[in-house]
Amino acid sequence: MKDKAEIENQFPAGTAQNGRLPARSTKKTSSPLTWYIFLIPSFLGILLFMIYPIFESLRLSFYQSNGTIEHFIGLENFKTVLTSGPFWNAVGNTFFIGIFQIVITIPLGFIFASLINSTPRGKNFFKVIYFLPNVTSIVAAAMIFAFVLHPEMGIVNYLLDIVGFPTPGWLSDPSTSKWAVILLAVWHWIGFVIIICLANLQAISPEMYEAARIDGASGLQQWLFITVPNMGGTFAFLLITGWIGALQRFNEVYVLGGPNGSPARSIQTMGAFIYERGFTGFEFGIASAATYIMFMIILVFTFINLKLSNMKI
Amino acid sequence: MSGAFKFIVLLFFGLLLMAPFIWMVSVGFDRTANISMPFPPRLIPEEPSGFNYGIVFENGRLIQSYINSAIVTVSSVLLGVSASLFAGYAFSKGRFKGKKLLFILVLCTLMIPMEPRLIPLYKLFNSVDLLNTFWPLILPTVINGMLIFLCKQFFDQLPDTLREAAQIDGAGEFKIFFRVYLPLAGPIAATMVILAFIWSWNDFMWPLVVLNNQELHTVPLYLASFSLENGTSLGGLTMALATVSILPIIILYLFLQRYIIQSIALSGVKGE
């Protein structure tokens, strides 16, 4: 049945109708128009809230604009953004935080997922506990972390001090503030990584493990040679979604450092740069140009990630 | 590794992940924390009291932001989920020109971040005088590529024979959708509601842009403004506020954790 439908879709009406019984064609009452009606809400949404803004943003990037007065200035905004120190600083911050978040969270999350998957007791309990940070809002989490990482009265430095480690200034010091954000990002994202890994761990066929056991492979060997290679697609998915999220980072750095990412712009991300230029400075043209550069970075980066991970969409 | 050892390792790191929450609750109940943060940190408040919570509720802005968040979230979920059910069904069972192309367009929306749309959407809602209302938060949720995709996948699993049977009985497309397929879509609808709820409740950047009026602030906005105004002073109050703000989502999570975890896993795995 399905094949027939596909064939009919592929060939123009004339060719398909030759093979069709007259009885069937009278039964087919619905016109394509009905289907378009089903799609109206979504496509009105896509048109108004996706396609229009994308093009309007492109147009604005060639104008000097504060929302009411507009001047065409060509590529001037792009030049301004691309030669601006704060912009590249924001790009650097975004990538720095993103890289370490991903490099730390994916392997760590995978190890925890493997442990949870093979623990005889409390599997469900651990799933619930480890995933909890991910459902709580990042805004509230950032608020809590400002205290947890406080250099003098925070719990982290208190414990570090007890064990005899140096106590960094975390968010009060530009040289360590990015690490504070990374810590928060890892804490918030790890539950998601664990849940995705767990779902895919359970999809690996048990027969492979059985065969390996018969051949005398140890638990660690099975993990290294069966589990890890079978998780390729999962890691690729996490890498791509992780990067898309990381490149758009805004909420937590805004709560922790305001629109300019203090201290000393050390945690201002690309999103925060756009917000700062657009909504505290009302430089819509510059913000739009920055937005397009960011959009390109995301697209290029996603493409590279897709290639690297050999993923097919 | 033995089972007991794994259990202890997992318990240790689980407690480590929970530590910020545990500390948050403890500081919130500490009367002296409102003057200065207790140091050295302690788990049991020296002077346990509901003082900080009292102030949080007396102030009233938190309750107002709760109401605002509730209005926005419920409307967004209703709109987003129903539009996605319609679209997902059409993409799964429909036969019409341009179906493949339109579906690719839907998938492309998944790649488009909020940032490039921020300023045009702001100007758009400004031009129809809807800034500082809830409409800009509700209307754009009508399009959600992820939900449409999940929904299409679900309807793909339901047999076409149901349609044919209903067609023979003379039912039109809408009747088939509402009477035959929609009643079967319970599980996927629940998943979509959960995902849309969490996304909408935690949304921050866009509300920050369109809601300047404090009266209309949603919960995350109120938290952020409180946090930016007070920094790391008023520890006890901040922690009480944080506790109350995440309570609804934690309660929801503890009751529905099985479904929430499934939904996230589903959206992740199927997104592959």
Side-chain angles (χ1 to χ4, degrees):
Chain A
M1 193 55 232
K2 225 179 167 179
D3 290 340
K4 196 176 171 193
E6 269 172 13
I7 290 165
E8 280 175 20
N9 268 343
Q10 269 168 15
F11 295 99
T15 39
Q17 250 153 19
N18 291 337
R20 199 192 268 166
L21 296 170
R24 257 201 64 81
S25 54
T26 50
K27 223 185 282 166
K28 210 183 130 222
T29 48
S30 73
S31 79
L33 209 66
T34 335
W35 294 112
Y36 294 126
I37 295 172
F38 276 94
L39 293 178
I40 283 176
S42 291
F43 276 87
L44 270 180
I46 290 188
L47 218 63
L48 262 176
F49 307 128
M50 289 277 176
I51 296 177
Y52 160 73
I54 289 286
F55 284 103
E56 170 66 4
S57 194
L58 184 65
R59 188 190 70 81
L60 269 176
S61 65
F62 297 112
Y63 283 80
Q64 188 181 42
S65 160
N66 61 2
T68 42
I69 305 159
E70 291 184 350
H71 276 297
F72 182 81
I73 52 166
L75 290 169
E76 208 52 41
N77 286 325
F78 286 92
K79 217 173 109 190
T80 312
V81 172
L82 289 172
T83 54
S84 126
F87 177 72
W88 289 109
N89 169 58
V91 173
N93 293 341
T94 310
F95 273 84
F96 187 92
I97 297 167
I99 286 171
F100 283 101
Q101 176 199 1
I102 284 165
V103 165
I104 295 168
T105 319
I106 295 182
L108 204 62
F110 173 54
I111 291 171
F112 281 128
S114 304
L115 285 176
I116 293 174
N117 195 36
S118 64
T119 185
R121 259 162 304 141
K123 206 173 283 192
N124 213 34
F125 170 72
F126 288 128
K127 258 196 222 174
V128 172
I129 293 287
Y130 279 75
F131 191 60
L132 189 60
N134 196 257
V135 288
T136 56
S137 88
I138 187 82
V139 171
M143 227 164 122
I144 302 165
F145 265 64
F147 285 92
V148 168
L149 293 174
H150 192 280
E152 274 112 44
M153 47 196 191
I155 197 167
V156 172
N157 273 5
Y158 175 72
L159 294 175
L160 286 176
D161 194 41
I162 287 180
V163 200
F165 282 114
T167 52
W170 297 114
L171 286 156
S172 60
D173 179 351
S175 66
T176 50
S177 54
K178 282 192 250 315
W179 285 101
V181 178
I182 292 166
L183 211 61
L184 168 60
V186 171
W187 179 81
H188 195 253
W189 195 44
I190 196 160
F192 181 80
V193 174
I194 291 173
I195 293 305
I196 300 294
C197 284
L198 267 172
N200 285 283
L201 279 171
Q202 277 148 12
I204 301 174
S205 96
E207 281 127 48
M208 278 200 270
Y209 292 105
E210 222 165 273
R213 252 193 310 272
I214 293 166
D215 290 342
S218 70
L220 185 67
Q221 277 172 327
Q222 290 176 31
W223 187 72
L224 275 177
F225 299 111
I226 299 176
T227 314
V228 176
N230 266 297
M231 296 292 285
T234 310
F235 294 147
F237 170 75
L238 290 170
L239 187 71
I240 288 161
T241 50
W243 265 118
I244 292 178
L247 293 174
Q248 296 172 39
R249 186 181 314 282
F250 173 77
N251 301 352
E252 61 268 48
V253 295
Y254 179 86
V255 175
L256 292 171
N260 50 12
S262 50
R265 293 185 179 273
S266 60
I267 56 170
Q268 190 181 43
T269 55
M270 292 193 282
F273 178 87
I274 290 164
Y275 179 84
E276 190 197 10
R277 288 334 263 292
F279 295 101
T280 64
F282 288 97
E283 298 165 293
F284 283 168
I286 289 186
S288 296
T291 265
Y292 251 82
I293 297 167
M294 173 186 173
F295 191 28
M296 290 302 140
I297 293 176
I298 292 181
L299 281 187
V300 169
F301 220 71
T302 307
F303 185 73
I304 294 173
N305 277 328
L306 283 172
K307 280 278 160 215
L308 273 183
S309 51
N310 247 331
M311 208 164 98
K312 293 170 213 90
I313 285 203
Chain B
M1 261 191 277
S2 80
F5 182 67
K6 277 180 192 168
F7 188 85
I8 290 166
V9 169
L10 284 170
L11 199 63
F12 174 77
F13 283 100
L15 278 175
L16 206 63
L17 277 182
M18 287 302 104
F21 289 135
I22 298 167
W23 198 53
M24 166 189 82
V25 172
S26 145
V27 172
F29 278 111
D30 208 324
R31 172 70 178 84
T32 52
N34 200 37
I35 304 151
S36 72
M37 287 295 278
F39 197 86
R42 49 178 178 241
L43 210 57
I44 312 291
E46 198 177 65
E47 206 183 306
S49 104
F51 177 78
N52 295 315
Y53 289 91
I55 292 187
V56 164
F57 283 111
E58 240 170 66
N59 180 307
R61 276 195 59 198
L62 179 77
I63 297 174
Q64 184 59 48
S65 65
Y66 255 103
I67 298 170
N68 298 341
S69 275
I71 296 170
V72 170
T73 302
V74 170
S75 331
S76 308
V77 168
L78 279 177
L79 187 66
V81 168
S82 27
S84 304
L85 277 167
F86 277 118
Y89 176 71
F91 280 124
S92 173
K93 301 292 180 213
R95 273 207 257 150
F96 52 93
K97 241 198 181 131
K99 176 170 140 177
K100 214 169 182 178
L101 197 75
L102 291 177
F103 190 59
I104 288 173
L105 194 62
V106 168
L107 293 183
C108 282
T109 64
L110 287 174
M111 309 264 277
I112 299 172
M114 190 60 208
E115 280 86 348
R117 301 187 282 136
L118 214 51
I119 290 167
L121 285 181
Y122 174 84
K123 288 182 67 187
L124 179 75
F125 282 105
N126 190 20
S127 68
V128 286
D129 217 14
L130 284 178
L131 291 182
N132 281 313
T133 67
F134 293 137
W135 290 110
L137 306 187
I138 297 167
L139 292 177
T141 52
V142 71
I143 163 69
N144 188 319
M146 190 45 134
L147 295 187
I148 296 178
F149 180 72
L150 284 176
C151 200
K152 177 194 179 289
Q153 298 282 94
F154 179 83
F155 283 122
D156 278 348
Q157 291 166 2
L158 296 180
D160 285 351
T161 42
L162 290 173
R163 280 177 50 72
E164 282 149 28
Q167 262 175 350
I168 290 169
D169 292 344
E173 284 308 335
F174 291 104
K175 205 166 182 187
I176 298 176
F177 174 68
F178 283 109
R179 292 286 178 76
V180 181
Y181 283 92
L182 201 58
L184 294 171
I188 197 67
T191 299
M192 290 160 72
V193 167
I194 288 169
L195 291 174
F197 183 94
I198 295 177
W199 292 332
S200 172
W201 185 270
N202 289 339
D203 194 14
F204 179 67
M205 193 186 207
W206 178 231
L208 180 70
V209 167
V210 292
L211 298 178
N212 290 313
N213 184 353
Q214 286 196 343
E215 301 276 295
L216 298 176
H217 276 188
T218 55
V219 174
L221 285 183
Y222 174 49
L223 286 184
S225 64
F226 185 88
S227 185
L228 282 174
E229 276 161 33
N230 299 300
T232 45
S233 57
L234 300 183
L237 257 185
T238 312
M239 292 306 189
L241 194 60
T243 311
V244 180
S245 82
I246 60 178
L247 218 53
I249 215 135
I250 288 195
I251 293 172
L252 182 85
Y253 175 64
L254 291 181
F255 275 106
L256 297 176
Q257 38 93 6
R258 253 193 41 210
Y259 306 97
I260 293 180
I261 289 177
Q262 261 174 19
S263 314
I264 303 286
L266 185 75
S267 66
V269 178
K270 292 284 174 84
E272 211 172 302

